[in-house]
C-alpha cells in the first residue's frame, strides 16, 4: 500500500505504508539524527502531534523492548523511515517496530530518502506536513480534517515522602519516564503532579525540590504556568529540563523563539561556560531561549550549544535554581550529562548552585 508525505510547500514523497496502515497523520515534520533509540524517541511525549523522520538508514533492527518506553501512549502523528527492518532477533525484543506502531495506531512511511528530506527541511525550515493514503488536493483542508492527539497524564503521585529520602515533585508538562528514573536511581522519591496544580497543592506534598519537566509545543502556549514557576523558584530548589528550561526563562522575563529546523538527535555538543567542559548531549527541541533577552532578567546563561551557539543552560544567581535545554536523562542518547541530576541533588541541601552548574 502506498502512502503520501506532503509538505506545506507542496513537495511530496511517495513510499510504502507500515504501522497502522489505515490512519493518516498531520502536524509539524521534524527530523531526528539519532542512529539508535527509535523506541524512546517515538514514545517521548515532547513529539506530540509531530511527524518524525529518521535520518538513520535502517530503523527497527533491534525490535521493541517493553522496558524502555518513555510514556504509555504515543503522541506522534507519524513515523518516516528510509528502510524498515521487519524482523528483530535482539534478545530484549518482544515485537517488531511495525507491530508496535500498529498497536499504538501510528502510521508509518518507509522507502523514501529521509536524508534528502532532511536536506530539504534544513533549507526550508520546519514545516507542516501530512501523511495520507491518497494524494492531497487541498493541503489546508486536509490538515484541518485530521485530529490532533492529546497528552496522557503520567502516573499518579506516590505516597507521602519518607523522611530519609529527598522528595522531588515533578511538574508534568509531558514528562519522560527516564527523568523520574534518573531521580529515583539517585535515591529520590518522586511525585508527579499536573502542570495545572496550585502552589498550595504542591506545598502539601512537602517537596524538597521541584523539577519542571520536558513537554510538547511552543513554550509561549503555557502562560498560565509562569506565575506558578516564579513562586516555586522563590521557595524551593528547582531544576528545569527542555520545556521546563524554556518556561523557567519565560517566567523570569526572557523570550523564546523557534529554531529553523530544531535539534533532534544524540550528538549535540554543549559547552559549560564556567569550566570549558564539553558534553555530548541528547536533544529534542524546536524552540530555544533568546540569549539577548536573558540579559534583561536575573538569569545567567551557563551552557551553550557548540553547533549554533544557542542557549543550553540557565541559573538564577543566589537561588538553587538551574535548567538545561538538553536531556540529561538521555534515553536515548549519551549519559555523560547526567551529572545535572547530581548537581540538582546537591542543591537540595540548599547549597547555592556552583558556578559550573
Ligand atoms: N523536549 C522538550 O521538552 C521540547 C520543548 C519544546 N516543545 C520544544 O520543542 O522546544
Amino acid at each position: 500500500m502506498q502512502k503520501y508525505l506532503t509538505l506545506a510547500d507542496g513537495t511530496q514523497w511517495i513510499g510504502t505504508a507500515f504501522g497502522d496502515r489505515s490512519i493518516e497523520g498531520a502536524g509539524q515534520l521534524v527530523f531526528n539524527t539519532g542512529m539508535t533509540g527509535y523506541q524512546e524517541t517515538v514514545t517521548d511525549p515532547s513529539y506530540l502531534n509531530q511527524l518524525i523522520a529518521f535520518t538513520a538508514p535502517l530503523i527497527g533492527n533491534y525490535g521493541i523492548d517493553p522496558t524502555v518506553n518513555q510514556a504509555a501512549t504515543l503522541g506522534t502523528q507519524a513515523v518516516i523511515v528510509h528502510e524498515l527492518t521487519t524482523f528483530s532477533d535482539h534478545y530484549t525484543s518482544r515485537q517488531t517496530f511495525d507491530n508496535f506502531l500498529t498497536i499504538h495506531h501510528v502510521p508509518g512511511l518507509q522507502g523514501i530518502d529521509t536524508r534528502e528530506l532532511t536536506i530539504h527541511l534544513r533549507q526550508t525550515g520546519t514545516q507542516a506536513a501530512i501523511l495520507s493514503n491518497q494524494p492531497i488536493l487541498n493541503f489546508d483542508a486536509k490538515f484541518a480534517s485530521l485530529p490532533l492527539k492529546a497528552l496522557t497524564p503520567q502516573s499518579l503521585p506516590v505516597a507521602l515522602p519518607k523522611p530519609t529520602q529527598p522528595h522531588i515533585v515533578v511538574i508534568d508538562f509531558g514528562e519522560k519516564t527516564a527523568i523520574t528514573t534518573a531521580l529515583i536511581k539517585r535515591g529520590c522519591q518522586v511525585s508527579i503532579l499536573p502542570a495545572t496544580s496550585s502552589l498550595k497543592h504542591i506545598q502539601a506534598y512537602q517537596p524538597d525540590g521541584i523539577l519542571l519537566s520536558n513537554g510538547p509545543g511552543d513554550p509561549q502556549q503555557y502562560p498560565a504556568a509562569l506565575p506558578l514557576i516564579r513562586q516555586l523558584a522563590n521557595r524551593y530548589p528547582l531544576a528545569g529540563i527542555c520545556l521546563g528550561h524554556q518556561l523557567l526563562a519565560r517566567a523570569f522575563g526572557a523570550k523564546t523563539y523557534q529554531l529553523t529546523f530544531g535539534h533532534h538527535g544524540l550528538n549535540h555538543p554543549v559547552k559549560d561556560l564556567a569550566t570549558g567542559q564539553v558534553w555530548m548531549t541528547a536533544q529534542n527541541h524546536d524552540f530555544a531561549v533568546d540569549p539577548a533577552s536573558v540579559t534583561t532578567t536575573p538569569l545567567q546563561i551557563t551552557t551553550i550549544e557548540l553547533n549554533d551557539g544557542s542557549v543550553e543552560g540557565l541559573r538564577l544567581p543566589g537561588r538553587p535554581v538551574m535548567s538545561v535545554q538538553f536531556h540529561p536523562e538521555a534515553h536515548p542518547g549519551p549519559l555523560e550529562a547526567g551529572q545535572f541530576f547530581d548537581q540538582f541533588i546537591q542543591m537540595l541541601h540548599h547549597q547555592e548552585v556552583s558556578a559550573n552548574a
Side-chain angles (χ1 to χ4, degrees):
M1 175 186 168
Q2 278 192 338
K3 211 117 183 155
Y4 301 82
L5 176 68
T6 310
L7 276 54
D9 67 6
T11 49
Q12 191 188 62
W13 276 264
I14 304 172
T16 309
F18 74 100
D20 191 326
R21 271 77 173 161
S22 61
I23 299 232
E24 301 179 310
Q28 292 296 308
L29 172 61
V30 299
F31 60 88
N32 183 297
T33 57
M35 293 291 287
T36 58
Y38 51 83
Q39 185 181 349
E40 294 93 322
T41 299
V42 300
T43 56
D44 180 342
S46 296
Y47 283 105
L48 182 73
N49 292 315
Q50 294 187 328
L51 294 80
I52 310 169
F54 288 98
T55 58
L58 191 63
I59 293 290
N61 40 328
Y62 52 89
I64 290 292
D65 170 357
T67 67
V68 306
N69 287 339
Q70 293 303 305
T73 57
L74 271 68
T76 180
Q77 285 277 341
V79 173
I80 297 142
V81 306
H82 172 250
E83 183 181 341
L84 176 79
T85 310
T86 49
F87 71 95
S88 48
D89 52 9
H90 191 272
Y91 75 102
T92 61
S93 177
R94 297 290 175 270
Q95 68 188 133
T96 63
F97 189 42
D98 188 14
N99 199 9
F100 180 71
L101 291 186
T102 305
I103 286 167
H104 288 281
H105 303 298
V106 175
L109 172 74
Q110 58 169 317
I112 70 155
D113 185 344
T114 52
R115 295 184 180 199
E116 182 190 35
L117 175 63
T118 297
I119 290 169
H120 184 70
L121 287 176
R122 284 178 66 99
Q123 284 162 353
T124 57
T126 301
Q127 45 181 309
I130 300 170
L131 185 63
S132 61
N133 295 335
Q134 303 293 335
I136 303 268
L137 300 174
N138 180 330
F139 185 91
D140 293 340
K142 181 74 181 175
F143 194 93
S145 75
L146 293 170
L148 285 177
K149 294 187 182 187
L151 274 186
T152 312
Q154 287 288 47
S155 51
L156 291 170
V158 294
L160 281 176
K162 297 189 188 101
T164 51
Q165 282 181 299
H167 182 213
I168 308 302
V169 165
V170 174
I171 308 295
D172 180 14
F173 295 98
E175 194 259 353
K176 276 176 71 185
T177 299
I179 292 180
T180 313
T181 310
L183 292 169
I184 292 171
K185 245 169 82 182
R186 288 166 173 82
C188 299
Q189 198 177 12
V190 179
S191 298
I192 303 173
L193 297 183
T196 49
S197 305
S198 67
L199 176 65
K200 216 169 149 202
H201 183 70
I202 295 166
Q203 283 173 320
Y205 284 81
Q206 298 176 310
D208 297 303
I210 304 287
L211 191 140
L212 308 175
S213 84
N214 62 296
D218 185 337
Q220 282 195 58
Q221 292 162 354
Y222 297 82
L226 303 186
L228 174 71
I229 292 172
R230 272 193 302 275
Q231 290 168 329
L232 291 171
N234 287 327
R235 285 170 175 78
Y236 297 104
L238 179 141
I241 294 178
C242 209
L243 181 75
H245 153 85
Q246 296 164 355
L247 295 181
L248 178 71
R250 293 189 68 84
F252 282 90
K255 294 197 170 83
T256 48
Y257 65 99
Q258 184 161 13
L259 296 164
T260 311
F261 45 77
H263 296 166
H264 305 276
L266 313 181
N267 60 349
H268 287 264
V270 304
K271 182 175 175 179
D272 182 322
L273 295 175
T275 63
Q277 198 180 8
V278 174
W279 306 306
M280 207 46 93
T281 66
Q283 298 203 12
N284 170 27
H285 63 111
D286 295 294
F287 295 85
V289 174
D290 171 7
S293 72
V294 175
T295 56
T296 65
T297 75
L299 298 166
Q300 257 178 21
I301 298 172
T302 55
T303 326
I304 56 160
E305 218 268 7
L306 285 179
N307 292 328
D308 63 7
S310 55
V311 176
E312 286 294 334
L314 294 169
R315 65 190 281 264
L316 182 58
R319 289 284 311 146
V321 170
M322 65 176 184
S323 64
V324 283
Q325 179 63 78
F326 56 85
H327 284 272
E329 80 286 358
H331 290 79
L335 295 167
E336 63 193 63
Q339 58 185 290
F340 176 77
F341 292 105
D342 301 325
Q343 288 170 344
F344 178 45
I345 288 162
Q346 269 178 29
M347 290 190 334
L348 300 179
H349 306 297
H350 301 285
Q351 294 162 11
E352 161 67 358
V353 188
S354 59
N356 63 357

